[in-house]
Amino acid sequence: MSFAVTSFENVSKSFAKVKALTSVSFQVEPGRVLAILGRNGAGKTTLINLIVGLLGPDQGQVRLLGRQPPYDAITRTRIAFASQRLALFHNLSVRENLQLFASLQGLQGELLQQRISVVSTQLELQQVMHYRIKACSEGMKRRVHLAVALLADAELYLFDEPTAGVDIQSRHSILQVVAELKKQGKAIIYTTHYIEEAEKVCDDVLILERGQVMASGALPDLVKMYGGQSRISYKNSENGEIQYLACEEPASEISKLMQKGFQLLDLTVLPPRLEDVLSNLVQEKVQHA
Amino acid sequence: MHKVVQLIKKDLLLLWREPANLVLILLIPLLMATIFGGIYGNDSHKSKVTLAVVDEDGSAESAAFVSLLAARPDLHISQLNLEAARQSTRLGQHVAYMQIETGFATGIQQFPFGQQTPVIRLVADPKRQAITGYMTGVTMQTVMQLIENRLGGASTGSTNMNLQPVSVKAENIEVSPAMPLNAFSVTVPQAVLWSILASVAIMSAGLATERSQQIMLRLKVTAVSMQMIVLSKILSCMTMILMSTTLLFLFGTVTFDLNIQSLSMLSLAIWCSAFCFAGIIMALGTLGGSPGAISGAVWTVMIIFAMLGGGMVPQFMMPEWLAIASHLSPGKWAIQLMEGAIWRDYSWQDALLPALILVILGTLGCAAGIRNLRNERYL
């Protein structure tokens, strides 16, 4: 079994009479990306506060690199955190921001310059290094914000909605960076409201609803468990209409249709996706209620 | 320490990059000191010794003597009656008064064969021994000039004979400590207070912005310890206030001939004020609310502090009820300590109370700020 970079064991947290999290358990291993999904108020923020040590749990155990909060300075240097809001100095240039945060990470001299050069290349910021942040576009700002997090040689990267409000190009380079970090064996926690984005980058998913874990596990397992049936779409050769069909086994369903003499034009097989997982879980919850 | 220095450098750079900040912290206070100093005080005699003269002899000789004194470039003479001269010296409007007693003319006419030596009294604040000594010399010199004029330019030779034409008696008068000697002695500390209050408003809003953008949180979660964040913020605020107040006092000294009685006490005043208001920045900048809301609230509080503390009406001109209410403003203690070093002639014992109050307020502010920052969560 691989060493967990961070883990929650039956963690509960309440604020006054409000239960923010109830018995949450999960772990993130090196080289894996965990997507935390949930509506506003589901408990994502409390969970992040607990991971980074800003809050302590009422019950259960939170561990980061084998340590429990409050974390010492060395442990904290091994977390890279990009909050949802742009934590940058808007009257400093891109370079000045990177230099400042790098020096606060303890980097100096040649190493500092080298690190800035690497992250600015990764996030395509070389051309705008002298721009003040206030003069940058939203996408650029978001990339600089992420670049600051990448300055640290961390074990755990925590990205809270890193692509919120950015253009396609910036989103692409941010997702590339996440993929690169994953390749390097870093553990990543990623929150987003874009389901297709989570699907693209994550290995594991944790779905929160009102402070409780609705579902968690590896993405393929969740899809298998909660994704429901695959869908086939084809153009009916007789009337030219697009037909949709839900089925467990697309291959056998297609052969059955062909045996019946249907000409399947523009045939597409749509396997269940994370989006289906979420909608099925929500439906299930509504029915249960 | 390297990280703390980096954070301080960043704060100062951000401040420098916003021209409006410099206008509020330096330019407006400078204008205030200049304009109000110009309105309240006549600065044409600022480099002269202001002397009230009481001519009890009322003779042609005494009038000629006063004319000779008035012709000197280093003196500004006002002829008053004894009561008015005493009062104006007590209130600091004149640095001394000179009383020419009856018999002056006779003494001058009979010199060097007279039986009685005429008396001139020089009455000044006992703390102004240098002025008394200087004026004694000036008086003797002018009397000798008067005698020479009477004798048609011939030297009396009296100095060789060691004869004294007049007897100059130095006396002390209790000077009211509640009155400044120069309008700028009041308006410069007032301007400094405004500059400090502007720094507080600007830096509190800056701190609130950093919090709302979760920069503080980013630092706190990752590489920088809470102690470093707090220390750097306090030192940034103090550095800003120290720099602006030092510049304003330098300007006051060079431009307005601000006569600082105790430089060491003024340094104490600046340091204590800087610490006190850095604490206030920490407390106000870490309150909940948006940067805009905090900025508005801080300006309101600062204007009240200024009104109560003597930033608008000088403390010595306040009615009693306002003087009592002013105890609530840290600005009052800051101005009092600065004025103590400039013209109130405070002893170190006098300076202790305002200094202590400023340090206590600063400590309380820092403690509140640290508590607020500690409780900060990611939202």
Side-chain angles (χ1 to χ4, degrees), chain A residues 91 132 134, chain B residues 11-29 198 202 240 299:
Chain A
N91 234 344
R132 291 216 186 149
K134 63 182 181 186
Chain B
D11 277 337
L12 297 180
L13 187 61
L14 286 174
L15 206 78
W16 178 252
R17 286 209 173 148
E18 199 59 73
N21 293 342
L22 299 178
V23 169
L24 282 172
I25 292 172
L26 288 176
L27 190 63
I28 290 178
I202 289 163
M240 179 60 232
W299 269 115

Side-chain angles (χ1 to χ4, degrees), chain A residues 45 48-49 52 54-55 76 79 81-92 96 100-101 103-105 108 132 145 148-149 160, chain B residues 2-4 6-7 10-11 13-14 17-18 210-215 217-226 374 376-379:
Chain A
T45 303
I48 291 172
N49 275 309
V52 297
L54 289 172
L55 288 175
R76 281 189 286 117
I79 315 170
F81 176 44
S83 58
Q84 195 178 335
R85 290 180 212 173
L86 295 166
L88 297 168
F89 296 103
H90 290 241
N91 234 344
L92 296 185
E96 285 166 340
L100 174 68
F101 283 106
S103 64
L104 294 177
Q105 293 280 356
Q108 281 180 341
R132 291 216 186 149
H145 179 59
V148 169
D160 191 8
Chain B
H2 173 73
K3 292 179 182 179
V4 174
Q6 292 299 319
L7 287 169
K10 174 267 298 174
D11 277 337
L13 187 61
L14 286 174
R17 286 209 173 148
E18 199 59 73
E210 287 184 12
R211 284 177 48 247
S212 76
Q213 290 171 351
Q214 303 194 329
I215 293 172
L217 203 73
R218 174 173 235 170
L219 298 176
K220 196 171 143 186
V221 165
T222 55
V224 187
S225 70
M226 186 66 199
R374 265 192 207 289
E376 199 156 57
R377 301 275 172 266
Y378 177 57
L379 297 169

Side-chain angles (χ1 to χ4, degrees), chain A residues 39-89:
Chain A
R39 291 187 289 191
N40 293 337
K44 296 196 295 284
T45 303
T46 306
L47 193 131
I48 291 172
N49 275 309
L50 284 160
I51 295 171
V52 297
L54 289 172
L55 288 175
D58 295 339
Q59 280 176 9
Q61 267 195 349
V62 178
R63 285 185 177 275
L64 177 70
L65 299 162
R67 289 178 173 80
Q68 286 181 288
Y71 306 123
D72 57 27
I74 296 169
T75 308
R76 281 189 286 117
T77 56
R78 294 164 78 185
I79 315 170
F81 176 44
S83 58
Q84 195 178 335
R85 290 180 212 173
L86 295 166
L88 297 168
F89 296 103

Side-chain angles (χ1 to χ4, degrees), chain A:
Chain A
M1 189 180 151
S2 181
F3 163 74
V5 176
T6 184
S7 65
F8 274 45
E9 280 174 42
N10 293 318
V11 171
S12 297
K13 181 75 191 172
S14 300
F15 299 104
K17 287 179 182 172
V18 180
K19 282 188 175 180
L21 288 179
T22 311
S23 254
V24 174
S25 298
F26 70 90
Q27 65 175 38
V28 190
E29 290 166 8
R32 290 190 76 83
V33 182
L34 169 73
I36 300 176
L37 304 176
R39 291 187 289 191
N40 293 337
K44 296 196 295 284
T45 303
T46 306
L47 193 131
I48 291 172
N49 275 309
L50 284 160
I51 295 171
V52 297
L54 289 172
L55 288 175
D58 295 339
Q59 280 176 9
Q61 267 195 349
V62 178
R63 285 185 177 275
L64 177 70
L65 299 162
R67 289 178 173 80
Q68 286 181 288
Y71 306 123
D72 57 27
I74 296 169
T75 308
R76 281 189 286 117
T77 56
R78 294 164 78 185
I79 315 170
F81 176 44
S83 58
Q84 195 178 335
R85 290 180 212 173
L86 295 166
L88 297 168
F89 296 103
H90 290 241
N91 234 344
L92 296 185
S93 69
V94 172
R95 183 181 297 284
E96 285 166 340
N97 266 285
L98 292 175
Q99 276 174 339
L100 174 68
F101 283 106
S103 64
L104 294 177
Q105 293 280 356
L107 300 174
Q108 281 180 341
E110 189 62 31
L111 191 62
L112 180 143
Q113 296 306 334
Q114 210 178 352
R115 200 72 203 126
I116 289 174
S117 168
V118 168
V119 296
S120 57
T121 310
Q122 261 182 314
L123 285 153
E124 298 166 36
L125 295 168
Q126 304 98 314
Q127 303 302 315
V128 296
M129 292 297 272
H130 60 286
Y131 283 24
R132 291 216 186 149
I133 298 295
K134 63 182 181 186
C136 292
S137 68
E138 278 308 303
M140 268 186 224
K141 285 178 190 170
R142 190 58 69 178
R143 279 186 278 156
V144 179
H145 179 59
L146 201 69
V148 169
L150 298 184
L151 287 166
D153 186 20
E155 301 291 325
L156 174 68
Y157 288 80
L158 201 75
F159 299 135
D160 191 8
E161 299 196 28
T163 57
V166 303
D167 55 90
I168 293 167
Q169 191 196 345
S170 295
R171 178 174 297 188
H172 179 70
S173 53
I174 290 169
L175 294 181
Q176 259 189 334
V177 165
V178 174
E180 186 61 36
L181 287 171
K182 186 181 149 183
K183 244 191 244 172
Q184 289 169 15
K186 307 293 186 185
I188 299 154
I189 293 178
Y190 194 100
T191 75
T192 182
H193 285 295
Y194 302 114
I195 306 295
E196 75 284 5
E197 191 178 296
E199 201 165 30
K200 206 180 267 181
V201 295
C202 73
D203 302 297
D204 302 305
V205 179
L206 180 82
I207 303 167
L208 284 174
E209 176 66 19
R210 293 187 183 182
Q212 289 183 317
V213 177
M214 225 175 174
S216 73
L219 178 61
D221 296 344
L222 285 185
V223 170
K224 204 170 176 184
M225 253 192 289
Y226 304 105
Q229 296 175 320
S230 296
R231 277 169 295 171
I232 300 169
S233 78
Y234 61 92
K235 196 190 264 181
N236 190 328
S237 56
E238 288 175 2
N239 54 20
E241 282 179 4
I242 304 285
Q243 304 283 321
Y244 291 95
L245 194 67
C247 57
E248 289 291 343
E249 295 292 334
S252 64
E253 197 62 37
I254 290 166
S255 65
K256 272 184 205 169
L257 286 168
M258 290 176 82
Q259 279 167 11
K260 284 179 187 173
F262 281 102
Q263 258 192 309
L264 306 176
L265 302 171
D266 296 339
L267 177 69
T268 315
V269 178
L270 301 165
R273 303 182 62 182
L274 186 55
E275 197 177 345
D276 303 314
V277 172
L278 280 171
S279 74
N280 290 341
L281 281 170
V282 170
Q283 264 181 10
E284 197 177 290
K285 197 173 165 64
V286 169
Q287 280 166 8
H288 186 71

